[in-house]
């Protein structure tokens, strides 16, 4: 039996490594057909976890068995431990990254009562574009005038209503000059 162990671990290490490399390439280059069951909250699927475990454990067993005087039993135990640590580290890294992920979506309802300025002039009875601060970022949104009057470039405005694809704005009667003139 001990005669076949080195070949078994070589086979496991090479096969699992090839599949892990293909998996990483498919994730980074697109085309991720995620057919395994992502049942744990960490995000590593069962199949991915097994692949990472087998690859790391098999390579560790090979490295320990070739480069140390330890017996196969110690090499296998160390390989099992290394595989478990690798799966845990990968899971922890993915949890960390997903916690830092931001939702890039925003909703038109968030524009209600926001103050901004005209970016593309709104002609009389027509539409233009305005800049509104939403979620700490300036967003460019289609707009029409509530009164139907023309609104020039850099006019300070306030959103009075929103629709599915545009906002309805009215001009603000500011007592001080616009702050946007120096930034544009």
């Amino acid at each position: 039996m001990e005669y076949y162990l080195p070949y078994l671990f070589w086979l496991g290490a090479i096969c699992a490594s090839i599949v892990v490399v293909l998996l990483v390439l498919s994730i980074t280059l697109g085309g991720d057909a995620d057919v395994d069951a992502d049942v744990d909250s960490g995000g590593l699927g069962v199949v991915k976890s097994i692949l990472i475990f087998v690859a790391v454990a098999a390579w560790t067993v090979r490295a320990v068995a070739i480069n140390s005087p330890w017996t196969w039993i110690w090499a296998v135990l160390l390989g099992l431990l290394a595989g478990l640590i690798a799966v845990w580290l990968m899971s922890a890294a993915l949890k960390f990254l997903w916690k830092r992920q931001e939702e890039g979506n925003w909703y038109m309802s968030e524009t209600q009562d926001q103050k901004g300025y005209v970016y593309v002039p709104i002609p009389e009875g027509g539409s233009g574009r305005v800049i509104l601060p939403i979620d700490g970022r300036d967003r460019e949104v289609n707009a029409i005038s509530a009164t139907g009057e023309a609104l020039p470039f850099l006019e300070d405005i306030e959103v009075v209503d929103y629709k599915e694809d545009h906002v309805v704005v009215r001009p603000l009667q500011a007592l001080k000059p616009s702050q946007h003139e120096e930034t544009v």
Side-chain angles (χ1 to χ4, degrees):
M1 177 68 183
E2 203 169 305
Y3 174 76
Y4 294 109
L5 281 178
Y7 299 111
L8 181 66
F9 287 116
W10 271 115
L11 181 67
I14 292 171
C15 291
S17 297
I18 289 172
V19 175
V20 167
V21 167
L22 291 175
L23 177 69
V24 168
L25 287 175
S26 73
I27 290 171
T28 56
L29 300 177
D32 182 24
D34 206 6
V35 293
D36 61 348
D38 286 329
V39 294
D40 59 339
S41 63
L44 264 183
V46 175
V47 173
K48 293 174 190 170
S49 297
I50 291 171
L51 287 172
I52 290 170
F53 176 81
V54 169
V56 171
W59 280 110
T60 303
V61 169
R62 287 302 306 147
V64 170
I66 290 173
N67 298 320
S68 74
W70 292 357
T71 65
W72 276 103
I73 293 173
W74 285 111
V76 169
L77 289 176
L78 191 59
L80 292 174
L81 180 65
L84 290 173
I85 291 172
V87 170
W88 181 80
L89 285 174
M90 188 65 113
S91 229
L94 288 175
K95 282 181 188 177
F96 174 79
L97 291 174
W98 283 325
K99 282 182 185 176
R100 272 119 198 92
Q101 185 176 357
E102 292 183 25
E103 182 180 347
N105 298 336
W106 60 275
Y107 306 98
M108 284 300 254
S109 60
E110 296 176 65
T111 62
Q112 186 68 41
D113 300 324
Q114 288 288 337
K115 292 173 180 54
Y117 62 94
V118 176
Y119 182 66
V120 174
I122 301 172
E124 191 171 319
S127 68
R129 295 187 65 78
V130 295
I131 301 291
L132 299 170
I134 301 171
D135 291 333
R137 291 198 156 145
D138 286 344
R139 307 284 183 177
E140 189 176 333
V141 183
N142 290 330
I144 61 170
S145 174
T147 60
E149 65 187 49
L151 296 174
F153 177 64
L154 295 178
E155 174 82 26
D156 288 324
I157 52 92
E158 179 180 24
V159 176
V160 293
D161 196 14
Y162 62 92
K163 305 293 182 202
E164 186 176 314
D165 62 343
H166 67 277
V167 293
V168 180
V169 298
R170 70 173 177 85
L172 285 177
Q173 301 302 327
L175 298 175
K176 59 183 178 181
S178 175
Q179 302 170 354
H180 311 294
E181 292 176 4
E182 56 217 36
T183 59
V184 176

